[in-house]
Amino acid sequence: MYNNELLQQKTTEQRDMQLGIRKTAALVVALSATAWVAPAQAGGAVAGATEFTQIANNLQLILSYEQQIESYVRQGLQLQAQLQNLVSNPTSLLGPEIGQMINTMGKIMSTGQSIGYNMAQIDKNFASTFKNPTAMNFSKMFTSWHKTNTDTLEGALKAIGAQRDQYASNEAALSDLYNRSQATKGNLDALQTMAQINVRQIQELQSLKELLGTQAQAQVTYMATQNAKDQKALDDLESILRRDPTPIPAAVSAPAPKWKNFGR
């Protein structure tokens, strides 16, 4: 049904990816200090600079989201351990305890959904503004992730004859789901239902983190490629100028016109 060791292993892999993303961030800082300076001196690339700035902002946002997700994955793993303990001994269950756990699950779920939705909109707007097909592809991937994530709770609610839009929050939906399951099937089945939803949520958050990491790498690669192209254009221009170093005569060195003293 669920395997906490597999979830822990996945989390370790995610930490390795986090290190890669932080290295990516360092590269972004380095690029930010040098990129687009040369094209601006050449007399253009205003739109390019705007695009670059937006990508740098997106990368900072991704890093922030990645840290939030890592924190929520840790909370989810803690919840999973608590739920497994309760499944082993359901008679020890206390109302306030399960209520707090359900609220935590709901908040984690809501935050993940918000991140996925925000990234879909950010990439969609970026793709529209800068005519960037890669950003549009990421927008579609984040939209797909968001739908998959919301389907998890929606499917569990349908099993009890309810729908997500009946509730004001994920916490309220989870609480009602638990109470109904408990009333019809008892504590054990209700706890197992919560544990299944929680482990699915951890997996979805890990998937979202991977997607964020993939996007960050793609954006940095794009920035580095554009910077290299602009630098090559400047190098080519400098090479042309070096091949023909003859100075252009200054206007003051030209002879005075013959009609200068005309009429005197």
Side-chain angles (χ1 to χ4, degrees):
M1 183 166 52
Y2 48 79
N3 191 321
N4 206 38
E5 291 182 0
L6 289 177
L7 291 175
Q8 292 281 7
Q9 179 181 355
K10 189 70 173 178
T11 302
T12 300
E13 293 173 357
Q14 290 289 346
R15 290 196 185 109
D16 293 338
M17 177 173 287
Q18 180 192 13
L19 179 60
I21 295 176
R22 286 175 178 168
K23 290 181 179 178
T24 295
L27 177 57
V28 172
V29 172
L31 287 172
S32 298
T34 60
W36 304 108
V37 173
Q41 292 174 342
V46 174
T50 302
E51 182 182 28
F52 178 86
T53 301
Q54 185 60 55
I55 291 175
N57 290 339
N58 288 351
L59 283 165
Q60 290 180 351
L61 184 62
I62 286 173
L63 289 173
S64 174
Y65 280 160
E66 187 270 346
Q67 291 173 355
Q68 290 184 52
I69 292 172
E70 182 177 299
S71 174
Y72 286 127
V73 166
R74 287 197 299 268
Q75 289 186 45
L77 289 170
Q78 292 172 358
L79 282 174
Q80 197 63 22
Q82 294 172 16
L83 285 166
Q84 287 177 323
N85 290 335
L86 289 173
V87 167
S88 300
N89 186 19
T91 57
S92 65
L93 181 64
L94 299 176
E97 183 180 17
I98 189 62
Q100 182 178 2
M101 293 170 67
I102 287 174
N103 284 337
T104 301
M105 284 178 59
K107 290 176 181 177
I108 292 173
M109 188 178 293
S110 296
T111 301
Q113 290 169 357
S114 176
I115 290 174
Y117 177 81
N118 287 345
M119 289 306 304
Q121 296 305 306
I122 288 170
D123 286 330
K124 182 178 179 181
N125 292 337
F126 184 91
S128 175
T129 300
F130 300 106
K131 312 303 179 186
N132 189 305
T134 302
M136 182 56 72
N137 288 338
F138 275 108
S139 177
K140 292 177 180 178
M141 285 189 281
F142 280 111
T143 299
S144 177
W145 179 91
H146 184 269
K147 183 180 185 304
T148 300
N149 186 262
T150 55
D151 284 349
T152 300
L153 180 56
E154 190 69 44
L157 291 172
K158 285 181 179 178
I160 62 171
Q163 294 182 346
R164 172 60 185 84
D165 56 13
Q166 294 176 216
Y167 305 94
S169 66
N170 286 332
E171 294 94 300
L174 287 168
S175 181
D176 190 40
L177 175 62
Y178 175 82
N179 290 333
R180 291 203 202 184
S181 298
Q182 185 185 42
T184 57
K185 299 179 181 179
N187 285 348
L188 181 59
D189 281 351
L191 288 170
Q192 288 176 337
T193 296
M194 291 296 106
Q196 289 170 1
I197 293 175
N198 185 59
V199 75
R200 179 63 178 172
Q201 184 60 32
I202 294 171
Q203 292 168 344
E204 289 297 333
L205 287 175
Q206 290 169 333
S207 175
L208 178 59
K209 190 176 176 183
E210 289 177 357
L211 183 54
L212 287 168
T214 301
Q215 185 190 30
Q217 295 293 344
Q219 289 182 331
V220 166
T221 299
Y222 174 78
M223 291 161 64
T225 301
Q226 291 300 110
N227 189 53
K229 287 180 181 179
D230 293 325
Q231 186 60 50
K232 184 179 184 304
L234 271 186
D235 291 343
D236 291 344
L237 177 59
E238 290 176 358
S239 177
I240 292 172
L241 293 175
R242 283 195 297 268
R243 285 199 297 268
D244 185 15
T246 305
I248 299 174
V252 295
S253 65
K258 295 181 179 180
W259 42 264
K260 183 175 183 181
N261 297 318
F262 181 76
R264 293 186 179 180

